[in-house]
Amino acid sequence: MKRLISGLLLVLSLNMGMAVVVPSQATTPPTLAQVIFGNVSRQTSITSRIDIQRQEAAAILRRLKQANKIPDQLVSSIGVQSSNTLNAYTDGKRIVVTSGMMQALQTDDQKAFVIGHELAHILADHVNKTRLRRTGLGVVDYLVRERMVSDNPALGAINSVGLGLIDKHFSRNIEYQADELGIQLMQQAQYNPQAAVEVLNILQRQSRGLTPEFLQSHPLSTSRIQALSRKYNIQQPRPVQ
């Protein structure tokens, strides 16, 4: 009897096992969990990369500040923005570098130039000066349009273009100043200033160079390289044969 019961249980267990049909892997649609966790895994990879870049940027900023005795409260923070664009900027307190820029820069010296350049903008109070300049130019533009050329829209447009060119001229001068001060901050922190030329070459390769310099708010990379080379004896790269 026991053997009969055992046999029946074995048959039942075998039948239950055979009843579970496992489709082939090729035809199995991904489960919701697989979709969710797959995306989370990819997102985690991106997040981890940006976290590492943020740590690198923070370490470089800390070294620049310590070497130049810059108070911590002067710069509130430094962040890395997820973007393929090669860019860095400051609002006067916080520095932001794109992940694309961090990825394109291969050495700490190169990253130190970019961060030092933005730190220089903060030290020189360029953001507030730019706001004041543009406010003043806006007032001039308004007065000219309202009182002098109200009956001649063409002259008003010419006036606006002229003021815009003046603004860009001052903006380019500010960039030159930030380059120079950024180099000084780098040198004080024992970074290699030669990296400045390397960074500008990277930016030059990324730009199309179709817009004349006088129409841009930033000088051409070639102009910035020449200015730094003359003043800081930085070696210019040899032209590619």
Side-chain angles (χ1 to χ4, degrees):
M1 188 65 179
K2 290 182 178 180
R3 290 182 179 180
L4 178 60
I5 293 174
S6 299
L8 290 173
L9 290 175
L10 177 60
V11 172
L12 287 173
S13 63
L14 289 174
N15 286 338
M16 290 176 64
M18 292 292 290
V20 179
V21 179
V22 181
S24 66
Q25 188 174 0
T27 59
T28 305
T31 64
L32 179 60
Q34 288 173 330
V35 172
I36 293 174
F37 288 113
N39 290 338
V40 168
S41 177
R42 289 190 292 272
Q43 184 63 38
T44 300
S45 175
I46 296 172
T47 303
S48 298
R49 174 168 56 85
I50 292 178
D51 284 341
I52 292 172
Q53 292 175 341
R54 187 179 296 113
Q55 293 171 10
E56 292 174 346
I60 292 171
L61 176 61
R62 184 164 54 249
R63 177 172 162 181
L64 289 169
K65 288 166 60 178
Q66 290 175 349
N68 292 277
K69 297 180 172 57
I70 299 172
D72 288 337
Q73 61 270 22
L74 192 65
V75 185
S76 61
S77 64
I78 185 167
V80 175
Q81 178 184 7
S82 179
S83 171
N84 292 328
T85 304
L86 273 60
N87 194 20
Y89 59 90
T90 179
D91 59 4
K93 289 290 291 182
R94 183 171 181 261
I95 295 173
V96 176
V97 186
T98 63
S99 57
M101 176 69 88
M102 292 293 289
Q103 186 73 20
L105 304 179
Q106 300 176 351
T107 67
D108 284 350
D109 296 308
Q110 294 174 356
K111 296 169 187 175
F113 173 69
V114 171
I115 296 172
H117 178 95
E118 299 307 321
L119 180 58
H121 279 313
I122 295 176
L123 293 175
D125 199 25
H126 283 160
V127 173
N128 286 328
K129 290 177 181 178
T130 297
R131 288 170 181 161
L132 289 173
R133 182 183 72 248
R134 289 176 177 170
T135 298
L137 291 175
V139 170
V140 171
D141 185 44
Y142 172 78
L143 292 175
V144 170
R145 284 176 174 274
E146 290 296 314
R147 298 184 180 184
M148 297 178 63
V149 294
S150 57
D151 296 330
N152 194 329
L155 288 178
I158 293 173
N159 174 72
S160 296
V161 170
L163 294 177
L165 293 177
I166 292 173
D167 180 59
K168 287 180 172 59
H169 170 75
F170 280 104
S171 294
R172 291 194 298 273
N173 285 340
I174 281 176
E175 294 304 317
Y176 282 123
Q177 293 171 17
D179 280 348
E180 292 188 13
L181 181 52
I183 288 286
Q184 296 170 19
L185 296 173
M186 285 180 67
Q187 291 177 319
Q188 188 66 26
Q190 303 300 312
Y191 286 110
N192 185 359
Q194 184 66 38
V197 171
E198 298 168 0
V199 172
L200 294 172
N201 275 323
I202 291 172
L203 297 178
Q204 177 68 20
R205 288 194 296 268
Q206 293 295 322
S207 66
R208 297 181 179 179
L210 299 178
T211 305
E213 185 172 69
F214 75 95
L215 293 177
Q216 299 188 38
S217 60
H218 283 55
L220 295 177
S221 294
T222 51
S223 300
R224 295 168 70 179
I225 289 172
Q226 291 172 1
L228 292 176
S229 299
R230 286 194 301 267
K231 188 162 187 175
Y232 294 97
N233 197 28
I234 298 175
Q235 183 178 0
Q236 296 189 49
R238 294 179 180 179
V240 179
Q241 300 296 330

